[in-house]
Amino acid sequence: MIVIENVSKSFGNKEVLHNINVTFERGKVNLVIGRSGSGKTVLMKCLIGLLAPTEGAIYYDRRDFHHMSFDDQKMLRTDMGVVFQGSALFDSLTIEENVMFPLNMLTHQSYQEKLERVNYCLHRVDLFNTNHLYPSELSGGMKKRAAIARAIAINPKYLFCDEPNSGLDPKTSLIIDELITGITHEYNMTTIVNTHDLNSVITTGETIAFIKDGFLEWRGTKEEVMVSNSENLNDFIYAQPITQMIREQMK
């Protein structure tokens, strides 16, 4: 479980996050939704330690991350897996080497142990026989799956995904959503996904936090999001053709 208490973040005189309070539950896919520029990515950077909040605290299972010692933060980061928006695979490394990268950085396993873990993770995301291919030889969806394999290689307790469906077609996006959900439940991880993909909201949003202009506007589930009384949330949700269609069917 990750608990955010009274978190604000400013850059100079500009406050980007305003007193955010939200809990992300273990064993669930927790979505953070909102338009581009709403503060989603800044919040995720605070969560993984790339930025420090100006005010407030972030607790990982009751441990205050930003008030830990450097060594304790480093240890906690070994429990984090991150899937970046552009996959962020190393172009000069094979897929096997990409997935093995965090194992080389964070573990003292033998090469054979690391290779076995790499192969398991690649099989888990249905990337068979790709060990010796390079990222340029994969499709966009395959790159995202390789990025997920790399993120789970260290068997993390916490998984962070920043716009995992960005640039993907609807069918491939659904595959990625199902993969993230399946892995979350299988490993009982605390998974946080930044997204503005409404298909993901409808299908995977076990808990949903809606951010608008840096403020937490609404919290709920995928069952509640379609019938919310929040005017700002409805403006965001029903601006999408698929949700307009669903809304008409619900009348």
Side-chain angles (χ1 to χ4, degrees), residues 92-134:
S92 61
L93 302 182
T94 65
I95 300 306
E96 179 181 295
E97 291 168 336
N98 265 282
V99 178
M100 193 178 290
F101 185 82
L103 297 173
N104 291 334
M105 292 286 291
L106 301 171
T107 77
H108 299 288
Q109 296 176 353
S110 68
Y111 173 77
Q112 188 58 39
E113 288 173 325
K114 289 184 286 190
L115 181 59
E116 289 176 3
R117 179 63 182 170
V118 167
N119 286 332
Y120 171 81
C121 291
L122 288 175
H123 287 185
R124 180 62 186 81
V125 301
D126 295 326
L127 284 181
F128 302 96
N129 302 316
T130 60
N131 291 56
H132 304 298
L133 298 180
Y134 286 87

Side-chain angles (χ1 to χ4, degrees), residues 39-236:
K40 303 190 305 295
T41 298
V42 171
L43 180 61
M44 183 165 285
K45 287 181 177 180
C46 289
L47 283 165
I48 63 178
L50 292 178
L51 294 173
T54 305
E55 296 179 7
I58 297 174
Y59 296 95
Y60 281 77
D61 296 318
R62 300 183 179 179
R63 296 170 292 173
D64 187 344
F65 179 53
H66 290 281
H67 288 87
M68 289 179 177
S69 67
F70 175 81
D71 288 340
D72 287 342
Q73 283 189 347
K74 184 177 179 181
M75 183 63 66
L76 181 56
R77 284 193 175 97
T78 65
D79 288 330
M80 299 180 186
V82 182
V83 179
F84 296 96
Q85 182 172 346
S87 300
L89 298 175
F90 298 107
D91 292 336
S92 61
L93 302 182
T94 65
I95 300 306
E96 179 181 295
E97 291 168 336
N98 265 282
V99 178
M100 193 178 290
F101 185 82
L103 297 173
N104 291 334
M105 292 286 291
L106 301 171
T107 77
H108 299 288
Q109 296 176 353
S110 68
Y111 173 77
Q112 188 58 39
E113 288 173 325
K114 289 184 286 190
L115 181 59
E116 289 176 3
R117 179 63 182 170
V118 167
N119 286 332
Y120 171 81
C121 291
L122 288 175
H123 287 185
R124 180 62 186 81
V125 301
D126 295 326
L127 284 181
F128 302 96
N129 302 316
T130 60
N131 291 56
H132 304 298
L133 298 180
Y134 286 87
S136 61
E137 299 177 90
L138 302 186
S139 67
M142 292 173 74
K143 289 179 183 177
K144 289 291 175 70
R145 283 187 278 152
I148 293 171
R150 183 176 63 184
I152 65 172
I154 57 173
N155 197 21
K157 294 180 182 178
Y158 316 100
L159 179 63
F160 302 91
C161 304
D162 190 17
E163 300 286 1
N165 293 333
S166 176
L168 301 181
D169 63 83
K171 183 176 181 180
T172 304
S173 294
L174 180 61
I175 292 171
I176 297 299
D177 285 342
E178 291 175 346
L179 178 58
I180 291 172
T181 301
I183 288 172
T184 297
H185 295 164
E186 180 179 340
Y187 295 112
N188 197 30
M189 294 185 296
T190 302
T191 296
I192 301 173
V193 180
N194 276 355
T195 186
H196 58 260
D197 179 20
L198 270 299
N199 286 321
S200 299
V201 173
I202 294 166
T203 58
T204 68
E206 294 177 282
T207 75
I208 301 169
F210 170 58
I211 294 180
K212 183 179 187 296
D213 298 330
F215 290 91
L216 179 63
E217 288 271 335
W218 181 88
R219 285 207 68 217
T221 67
K222 61 186 178 184
E223 290 80 19
E224 296 167 337
V225 74
M226 303 302 296
V227 293
S228 165
N229 292 322
S230 168
E231 183 177 343
N232 287 326
L233 177 62
N234 288 337
D235 285 345
F236 172 72

